[in-house]
Amino acid sequence: RHLAYLESFMTRRPMNMFFPFSVTVSTVANTLLAAMAVDRRDSPFEQVGFTMLATLMALAALEHWFLIAPMNGNILWGASSLKPPGDFADTLEAEIAALAVPTEGSPAGWSTPLPEIGDDRTLAHILELIAAGAFGELDSVRGAMRVRGRWVAFEIANARARITPFVPSRLCEPIMLATGRGFDRTRLRAAFESCAA
């Protein structure tokens, strides 16, 4: 929430007439720099320098085209996404959405909001305690929260805790889901509250 003001820097407006002018000038400058980079009369030092300048100018022009292209910018970084394919984090948001729909046996399931930003070491320690049974009999624990400027998803299954980087698509609030019978919800909520950074 405290970063909501950043949206004011990302407004969408129609292209103005400065764009074709700036891209044309950038393209001409890039062509001249590239021509100087392949000029055999220059020293190798100058050729490398002009090559680097031509590359930077080409990237600047490409960036301006991406600013007006009607495409999702996240597609560019899909291959390097922090979320491993097929990992438990893939289903986390679907499970959170399903909480709104009451199902049979829902008393065994429980969810709680988490601190806005947590400490990753404290989170890892809490997950180890949960896996060891310190809070009672839990079948599974899953959740997502922000730690040190990034999101992580965590899971406890088969008495093992895992934490993995996570890139949420719809989730905006940190949350934890727990299933089991006879676990101490008050102590568990207090433990997660204590991991606030």
Side-chain angles (χ1 to χ4, degrees):
R1 289 186 198 122
H2 67 285
L3 297 177
Y5 74 94
L6 290 175
E7 289 181 6
S8 66
F9 295 110
M10 300 173 204
T11 57
R12 290 180 181 261
R13 294 187 197 136
M15 180 189 78
N16 60 23
M17 290 310 296
F18 182 69
F19 175 79
F21 174 74
S22 64
V23 170
T24 302
V25 169
S26 299
T27 304
V28 169
N30 186 41
T31 305
L32 292 173
L33 288 169
M36 288 189 271
V38 296
D39 190 356
R40 296 188 183 271
R41 292 174 292 175
D42 290 334
S43 68
F45 175 81
E46 290 172 323
Q47 287 179 335
V48 169
F50 285 128
T51 301
M52 292 174 71
L53 289 173
T55 303
L56 290 173
M57 185 57 76
L59 289 173
L62 184 64
E63 177 189 11
H64 280 79
W65 278 110
F66 279 140
L67 286 173
I68 67 155
M71 60 182 274
N72 183 355
N74 294 330
I75 293 171
L76 295 172
W77 311 111
S80 63
S81 173
L82 293 173
K83 182 169 64 172
D87 201 353
F88 69 91
D90 289 338
T91 60
L92 182 63
E93 289 184 295
E95 288 181 18
I96 291 169
L99 280 178
V101 182
T103 56
E104 221 175 288
S106 60
W110 177 73
S111 69
T112 186
L114 298 176
E116 283 294 317
I117 299 176
D119 178 63
D120 48 354
R121 285 187 221 131
T122 308
L123 175 63
H125 179 67
I126 291 169
L127 294 176
E128 289 171 10
L129 290 173
I130 295 171
F135 297 96
E137 187 180 328
L138 281 154
D139 297 328
S140 72
V141 173
R142 285 184 169 195
M145 73 185 306
R146 284 185 283 258
V147 293
R148 299 179 192 260
R150 63 187 170 91
W151 279 86
V152 293
F154 57 86
E155 175 188 54
I156 296 176
N158 302 324
R160 290 187 58 225
R162 292 191 298 167
I163 300 176
T164 186
F166 176 58
V167 180
S169 58
R170 296 176 306 231
L171 187 66
C172 52
E173 296 292 328
I175 193 167
M176 186 264 306
L177 315 170
T179 58
R181 303 237 182 246
F183 60 92
D184 192 337
R185 296 174 183 188
T186 306
R187 282 183 56 229
L188 189 58
R189 179 181 289 124
F192 276 104
E193 287 172 357
S194 72
C195 85

